[in-house]
Amino acid sequence: MNSKIKKIIKKKNKSKIVCLTAYSKNFAEEIDKYADIILVGDSLGSVLYNYHTTRKVTLNNMIQHSKSVKMGVKRSLMVVDMPYKTYRNKKEALKNSKKVISNTKCDAVKLEGGNKIKKIVEYLVKKKIPVMGHLGILPQSVRGTFKSKGKTENETFKLIRDAKILEEAGCFAIVLECVKSKTSKLITKNLKIPTIGIGSSVFCDGQVLVTDDLLGLNETNIRFVKKFINLKIFINKGLRKFKYEVLSKKYPSKKYSY
Ligand code: KIV
C-alpha cells in the first residue's frame, strides 16, 4: 500500500484529516501546505463550468485539471474523481482509472456508490488501484433537489451496510456527503478506515470542502459551507489598482519597462 495512504489510515482516532479540492496548479501549491488529501473533484463541473450536474464532466476534463494540480502537489495524497459513466462495469472502471493514474500520476481515484459498485471496487483494488468511496448524497445520481441522508431507520441501515461493504471491498477511506450526525457517528465508529465528512458533522474522521466555496470565490447558499475568507475582496482590490494605474499611466513606469 502507498505510504501516503497508510499515513491517512493511521490518523483515524488520532488526529483529524484535512481534505480540500483543487482544480489547478496555483491553488494546489497553496492547498498542499495544509491538506492531507487533495481531491480533484468533479465538482469542477459546477464550480468552473457552471454545469447544473456533475454528469456533464468528462474523463478528459478530469485528466486535464488533474495534470495541472499534480504540478502543485508535493506532500498531500492526490485523489481524482472518476466521472459519471466511466466505471459502469469492472473492465470500464479499470481501463479508465488506469488512464487517469497514468496520465496524471495521482495516488488514487474516488467512486460514488455503495453495494452497487462493490464488485468494481474489489476488482480495482485487486488490480492495485487505490479507491476512495463516496456515500450519502451522490451528485452523479441525484436528479432534482439534494436532501440529507440517514434520516430514516432504513436509510441509516443502508448507509451503515454500504460503508461496511466498501471497507471490505478495499476502500482506504470514504467520503460521507450530507449524512445526518447520528448516522455519520455510527458509520465512523463501525469502520477501521477513515470517514471524510462534507456536511456530515464533526464525528467524521476528517472534513472536506470545495476550496472555492470556503474562500468565498464561488457563491453558494449550501448549509454546510462556511466562508472562511472572502477572497473576492482582495482580488477586486488588486484589479481596481491595476485598472487605475493603467488609466492614469502610472503603470508601467520605467522600472517595469524595457
Ligand atoms: O466533487 C467533489 O468535489 C467532491 C467533494 C465535494 C467531496 O466529491
Side-chain angles (χ1 to χ4, degrees), residues 244-258:
Y244 167 76
E245 291 200 10
V246 169
L247 295 182
S248 62
K249 299 179 193 160
K250 213 172 156 197
Y251 177 85
S253 59
K254 267 193 179 164
K255 184 182 167 192
Y256 297 103
S257 303
Y258 292 101

Side-chain angles (χ1 to χ4, degrees), residues 124-135:
L124 291 183
V125 173
K126 198 173 116 197
K127 297 286 180 186
K128 307 252 176 304
I129 309 276
V131 180
M132 187 183 221
H134 186 145
L135 292 173

Side-chain angles (χ1 to χ4, degrees), residues 184-201:
S184 58
K185 189 177 183 181
L186 271 172
I187 294 172
T188 304
K189 256 183 103 177
N190 249 300
L191 299 182
K192 291 186 194 77
I193 57 169
T195 58
I196 312 292
I198 174 157
S200 300
S201 88

Side-chain angles (χ1 to χ4, degrees), residues 21 39 41-43 81 110 134 175 198 208 210:
T21 63
L39 171 68
D42 60 359
S43 52
D81 259 344
K110 177 163 80 60
H134 186 145
V175 167
I198 174 157
V208 57
V210 168

